[in-house]
Amino acid sequence: MSDRSELIGAFDRIVAQASARQPLIAGKQTLTYGDFIERVRRLTTWFGALGLNAGDRVVVASNDESATFTVFMAALRNGLATAILDPACPPEEAKTLIDAADPALVCIDRAIYEAAGLGAALPRSIAVIQIDPESEAQAGGLKRRLASLFGGGKAGDRGNAYPAALAQWSAAANYLGDADGDAVALILFTSGTTSRPKGVELTHANLAAQFKVFLEQYGIAPTSRILNSLPLNHTDGILKGPALALMAGCTTYRHNRFNAQELTALLASIRKDGITHFVVVPTILALILRFAKEADNAFATRDFRFVICSAGYLDEKLWRDFEARFGVTVVNAYGLTEAVCEAIFCGPDEGSRRLGTIGKPNGAEVRLVRSDGETAAQGEIGEIALRGPLIMKGYFRQPEATAEVVKNGWFHTGDLATVDADGFYSIVGRKKSVIIRGGLNVYPEDVTKILRAIPGVTDAVTFGMPDPIWGETVVSCIVPDPQRRLSETDLIAACRAALSPEKVPTGVHFFHEFPRGPSGKIVLNDIKSLVEARQTEAAPAVTGDVETRLIVLAASCFRADPATLSLSSASDNTEGWDSLAHVNLIDAIEETFRIRLSPRDIMRLGSLGDAYEMIVAGQTRNVA
């Protein structure tokens, strides 16, 4: 058994020193250090009443970010491991992941719990805490309820909704127990719909090592203010957001889950909140550069230090253009969930900064491995292998899968790179088939499995295609049964019902048969070339009045049936209207109607009625 977790020691020190009134999380929600500590203590009592023990697993699936983070840290401090799920994942995927995690407790939004039918699906041996942010307001607020605290609640009562139900539990004087460095703290699933989803196990020692690197590399201090709206079910979201803020004793600012319409609010926060560090993925940089045309001075504050960009390949031109336009430093970082978050850094110090590279390692050893297993020479391409305290414990209950990627202590990433004479690493490609869409990993097998299960689909394949904004988009191809009638709209609708939003294909292409090699294996490069040729063909002319043409364009962007759309269709009630579709719609409107939308128009475009008014106004200006 290793020594007591450094992470728990750091947690206890911060809790002892923190100012109760200081915000830990600010922005969309506010959670002070005082409220956070109080809730962790009360959750500890609740956990104990539910019979949880060190080493048990807790699943969290919630749109309430303060709840997600608080449950995670309460579990961590009590020696429990937490699996954080994407709250947007469909019910069947949620059930698959909960089953894979084999938890003792599920903490889940009431709406998700009911939609997924978990009341009947979960074994009675699994305790449930339903999360309902409105419960506190309806109950008159937690603090007022604490004034009339009446002691313990009924353990396992599924009607108790967090956070209001915390008033039923006293604040624990002691935690359930400690954990050692080898204990699992966090489990993140890299795939959701396969029969055996892979859950990456990150230990207390892994997280402690990553936080040390972050604090050193990025200079995070108690006075820092971190702006990070990335999802909490990814390490870039939770570990470089609220968890890092907690470890430094500072504040993280979180707004709505990122979409193109939030750019104005996001950039306004930098000046208004005195942000020092802005955490993004390359897609966010591309969208800011594309649409935030009136925000050249967004980063020109005395507080702001630099942008931190990871979770995807950062194109050198985008990097240079962004820095030149906004006069700000962009730090690039490379990592994977299996190595916690980041292990190679390009900046902010001059010693590790060279644009176009991923920089130099910090916190891990790096080796480039040739196909014959030997170490690649300088300038030679090899697979990145990492070793050190950041490397995961393994894939949860999958020793065979772990052994495939961790060999003699070296984690083989599947990413190909070169290293120059000065020790700077540069990504040149990927061995893996994973698609990185807007910084989120999409495993094509997840999408293909859903398509192949649809009646009338005899074969299917999924892959990524390059995209200047999103890095890659998800594209699928099928071979249909000629006796069945299938439409692209129906196929995408089936994917939407079964997959998380980032996994839904932006297009489905029909083939009579797939090109195959001598062994019968699909020749993916040939299919990609055929799809690329189709995409470059001239689109048919869209005719009719403005409303008709707009709806046809929108249907194409959303992959929807035009009959289901009208001018009242809005981003919050129309399936397929996500950030990618929003950007595509803007481009299509500008090209089709020969107008230019202002950044203000783009940010307030929330319905097709808004778009219609903008088109008419734009055409009027052009005539004048």
Side-chain angles (χ1 to χ4, degrees):
M1 183 172 178
S2 65
D3 294 335
R4 181 177 187 255
S5 163
E6 291 183 39
L7 200 57
I8 284 180
F11 176 92
D12 289 347
R13 286 193 298 274
I14 290 295
V15 164
Q17 299 167 3
S19 167
R21 294 184 178 182
Q22 180 186 346
L24 171 55
I25 299 175
K28 180 184 176 184
Q29 297 176 309
T30 297
L31 179 68
T32 66
Y33 276 83
D35 286 344
F36 167 74
I37 295 166
E38 182 72 17
R39 292 183 179 196
V40 166
R41 292 285 190 180
R42 292 181 181 278
L43 275 170
T44 297
T45 303
W46 200 346
F47 290 166
L50 291 170
L52 271 59
N53 298 299
D56 284 341
R57 285 166 300 284
V58 177
V59 166
V60 183
S62 177
N63 287 294
D64 185 330
E65 295 192 333
S66 70
T68 298
F69 177 67
T70 303
V71 170
F72 165 54
M73 292 308 303
L76 182 150
R77 180 56 188 85
N78 283 287
L80 310 171
T82 303
I84 303 177
L85 309 188
D86 181 356
C89 71
E92 288 306 313
E93 184 172 334
K95 291 176 186 176
T96 298
L97 294 176
I98 291 171
D99 182 64
D102 188 16
L105 170 66
V106 173
C107 299
I108 189 165
D109 280 358
R110 175 170 285 165
I112 299 174
Y113 179 82
E114 293 173 351
L118 293 180
L122 291 182
R124 296 300 299 180
S125 59
I126 298 178
V128 175
I129 293 177
Q130 294 187 34
I131 298 171
D132 183 0
E134 297 300 318
S135 68
E136 186 174 356
Q138 292 169 358
L142 177 61
K143 289 183 178 178
R144 276 177 283 172
R145 293 196 72 193
L146 294 180
S148 58
L149 185 66
F150 57 85
K154 182 180 177 183
D157 182 354
R158 297 186 177 194
N160 282 344
Y162 177 100
L166 287 176
Q168 301 176 33
W169 306 100
S170 60
N174 299 299
Y175 295 104
L176 300 181
D178 281 343
D180 60 28
D182 291 335
V184 176
L186 180 61
I187 300 174
L188 294 174
F189 287 96
T190 62
S191 178
T193 61
T194 57
S195 58
R196 294 195 69 194
K198 287 195 292 187
V200 177
E201 294 183 296
L202 301 176
T203 67
H204 281 247
N206 290 152
L207 300 191
Q210 184 71 91
F211 289 131
K212 283 182 180 178
V213 171
F214 282 160
L215 295 172
E216 173 191 330
Q217 191 75 31
Y218 297 140
I220 307 295
T223 54
S224 298
R225 290 173 293 279
I226 305 166
L227 177 58
N228 181 345
S229 289
L230 302 180
L232 294 186
N233 60 300
H234 293 267
T235 54
D236 291 284
I238 194 159
L239 298 185
K240 281 194 293 189
L244 179 57
L246 177 64
M247 289 297 109
C250 66
T251 301
T252 184
Y253 289 78
R254 298 189 61 80
H255 297 277
N256 293 325
R257 188 163 182 169
F258 177 78
N259 61 63
Q261 292 151 293
E262 295 294 324
L263 283 179
T264 299
L266 209 60
L267 293 175
S269 175
I270 292 171
R271 184 175 299 277
K272 177 172 67 74
D273 299 316
I275 298 301
T276 59
H277 300 78
F278 183 25
V279 180
V280 300
V281 297
T283 293
I284 295 178
L285 296 186
L287 287 170
I288 292 173
L289 202 61
R290 167 71 172 84
F291 294 123
K293 294 173 181 168
E294 299 171 356
D296 288 1
N297 296 320
F299 301 94
T301 74
R302 66 179 184 179
D303 299 301
F304 193 77
R305 295 191 59 197
F306 48 81
V307 176
I308 301 169
C309 184
S310 62
Y313 174 71
L314 179 56
D315 178 75
E316 185 176 352
K317 183 178 186 305
L318 169 61
W319 194 348
R320 291 186 182 279
D321 288 350
F322 194 94
E323 289 196 343
R325 178 176 160 194
F326 294 103
V328 67
T329 297
V330 176
V331 176
N332 190 21
Y334 168 85
L336 310 91
T337 307
E338 287 88 344
V340 185
C341 194
E342 294 170 355
I344 306 177
F345 301 83
C346 188
D349 60 292
E350 289 303 316
S352 67
R353 177 174 159 83
R354 180 172 294 173
L355 267 65
T357 76
I358 54 173
K360 297 181 177 181
N362 185 359
E365 297 178 66
V366 180
R367 176 178 174 235
L368 299 185
V369 184
R370 298 188 321 206
S371 57
D372 61 4
E374 297 299 316
T375 300
Q378 177 188 312
E380 190 176 11
I381 295 174
E383 179 184 4
I384 297 175
L386 304 172
R387 182 171 70 177
L390 299 178
I391 303 306
M392 67 174 179
K393 185 173 186 176
Y395 295 118
F396 180 56
R397 294 180 179 173
Q398 295 194 48
E400 300 87 359
T402 303
E404 288 178 7
V405 294
V406 181
K407 303 169 185 177
N408 298 319
W410 289 93
F411 169 62
H412 292 250
T413 65
D415 292 316
L416 304 176
T418 61
V419 61
D420 64 20
D422 298 321
F424 287 92
Y425 289 82
S426 298
I427 296 289
V428 298
R430 281 201 308 275
K431 288 176 64 177
K432 294 180 178 178
S433 60
V434 63
I435 303 163
I436 302 180
R437 177 193 182 275
L440 301 178
N441 288 354
V442 176
Y443 290 82
E445 296 80 9
D446 284 356
V447 185
T448 298
K449 177 186 175 184
I450 298 301
L451 288 169
R452 284 177 175 164
I454 297 173
V457 174
T458 61
D459 203 358
V461 67
T462 301
F463 47 84
M465 293 291 286
D467 185 89
I469 297 289
W470 303 95
E472 290 179 292
T473 55
V474 181
V475 174
S476 294
C477 300
I478 70 154
V479 175
D481 180 342
Q483 304 302 316
R484 301 291 293 265
R485 294 186 62 181
L486 294 173
S487 71
E488 182 185 32
T489 301
D490 291 339
L491 293 169
I492 289 179
C495 289
R496 283 199 187 109
L499 297 167
S500 299
E502 70 273 8
K503 300 177 185 178
V504 177
T506 56
V508 178
H509 295 262
F510 290 67
F511 285 80
H512 293 298
E513 61 180 356
F514 290 149
R516 297 180 183 273
S519 65
K521 186 177 181 180
I522 294 174
V523 183
L524 203 56
N525 285 338
D526 287 357
I527 295 181
K528 287 183 177 180
S529 297
L530 292 169
V531 169
E532 189 173 28
R534 291 183 183 184
Q535 291 177 338
T536 56
E537 292 176 359
V542 181
T543 59
D545 58 21
V546 170
E547 181 177 345
T548 300
R549 296 161 71 194
L550 172 61
I551 287 176
V552 170
L553 285 178
S556 175
C557 294
F558 305 157
R559 294 297 189 262
D561 182 348
T564 66
L565 301 178
S566 68
L567 293 185
S568 62
S569 298
S571 58
D572 60 356
N573 64 17
T574 305
E575 282 198 349
W577 193 333
D578 58 13
S579 291
L580 174 60
H582 189 80
V583 173
N584 291 341
L585 177 62
I586 291 165
D587 287 338
I589 287 172
E590 291 186 333
E591 180 178 350
T592 301
F593 294 100
R594 306 299 183 198
I595 63 171
R596 193 69 175 168
L597 299 180
S598 71
R600 186 169 299 171
D601 286 339
I602 291 167
M603 298 313 158
R604 72 177 181 86
L605 198 165
S607 70
L608 293 186
D610 294 336
Y612 177 84
E613 292 176 3
M614 293 172 191
I615 293 167
V616 172
Q619 291 178 329
T620 301
R621 286 194 300 269
N622 289 344
V623 171

